[in-house]
Amino acid sequence: MNEHLMIMFYDLLLLDDTVCARKSHAKRRRLLRSLVRRIPGLAEVGFREVVAFSSANAAERLTELFARAITQRWEGLVLKGCNDPYFTSDCDKSSIKLKKDYIPGLGDSADFTIVGGNHSAEDEQEIGIGKLWWTSFFIGCMENKDED
């Protein structure tokens, strides 16, 4: 089987020297979509669905979405208000992370995040797909997550 990896971008917390984490999720997603060059099968902006928790079928809808997340091999779901910032000190506004990692035997073996990027004009020319903001990414990986 010839399987390739795809980069899924979901959120934007920092852009150059601008902290985006204080902006609402909706604003961060609009900004992210304006920055990411989608390449089907290689680079996409991650899926987002709004669930009205006051609706009669909210629990059923959430169950369906979590099952989809697991079968699609997504990291999980984050439940929070659409207008909430990434971080909040407001105790009335909180988020819930619903991840398969929290269920023994279903989680991934590694957690990665992009912690930086670089632009090289030489690499951009070699890649040959047009003007790029970044040609290299710096990836961080969590090791020994279960150790204290």
Side-chain angles (χ1 to χ4, degrees):
M1 173 170 27
N2 186 7
E3 189 175 331
H4 64 274
L5 299 176
M6 181 164 57
I7 297 174
M8 294 296 288
F9 296 92
Y10 184 77
D11 208 343
L12 180 65
L13 303 179
L14 181 70
L15 178 61
D16 295 326
D17 293 327
T18 303
V19 176
C20 301
R22 295 184 193 105
K23 298 178 186 290
S24 73
H25 186 244
K27 288 180 182 176
R28 294 192 319 269
R29 295 275 296 176
R30 278 195 300 275
L31 183 55
L32 179 68
R33 283 193 302 273
S34 75
L35 296 171
V36 173
R37 179 174 175 213
R38 294 178 57 238
I39 303 172
L42 296 177
E44 294 283 348
V45 175
F47 173 79
R48 173 184 173 201
E49 176 132 356
V50 177
V51 175
F53 285 100
S54 60
S55 69
N57 70 339
E60 180 182 333
R61 185 70 187 125
L62 185 58
T63 301
E64 291 170 0
L65 287 169
F66 189 55
R68 180 178 178 195
I70 290 172
T71 59
Q72 295 290 318
R73 299 174 57 189
W74 298 347
E75 183 178 354
L77 303 176
V78 175
L79 313 177
K80 69 186 311 181
C82 294
N83 294 318
D84 291 350
Y86 188 79
F87 298 110
T88 182
S89 58
D90 186 346
C91 295
D92 294 333
K93 292 185 176 183
S94 59
S95 64
I96 299 170
K97 290 186 179 183
L98 185 57
K99 297 171 69 172
K100 61 187 176 195
D101 289 0
Y102 301 157
I103 302 170
L106 286 182
D108 295 332
S109 59
D111 288 331
F112 296 94
T113 188
I114 296 175
V115 295
N118 181 48
H119 177 267
S120 162
E122 184 178 298
D123 289 344
E124 181 181 62
Q125 187 175 7
E126 185 177 321
I127 294 168
I129 60 172
K131 183 72 177 152
L132 301 172
W133 282 42
W134 300 282
T135 54
S136 301
F137 295 99
F138 302 100
I139 308 280
C141 176
M142 181 184 295
E143 292 182 353
N144 305 323
K145 152 164 99 170
D146 296 329
E147 291 182 12
D148 289 325

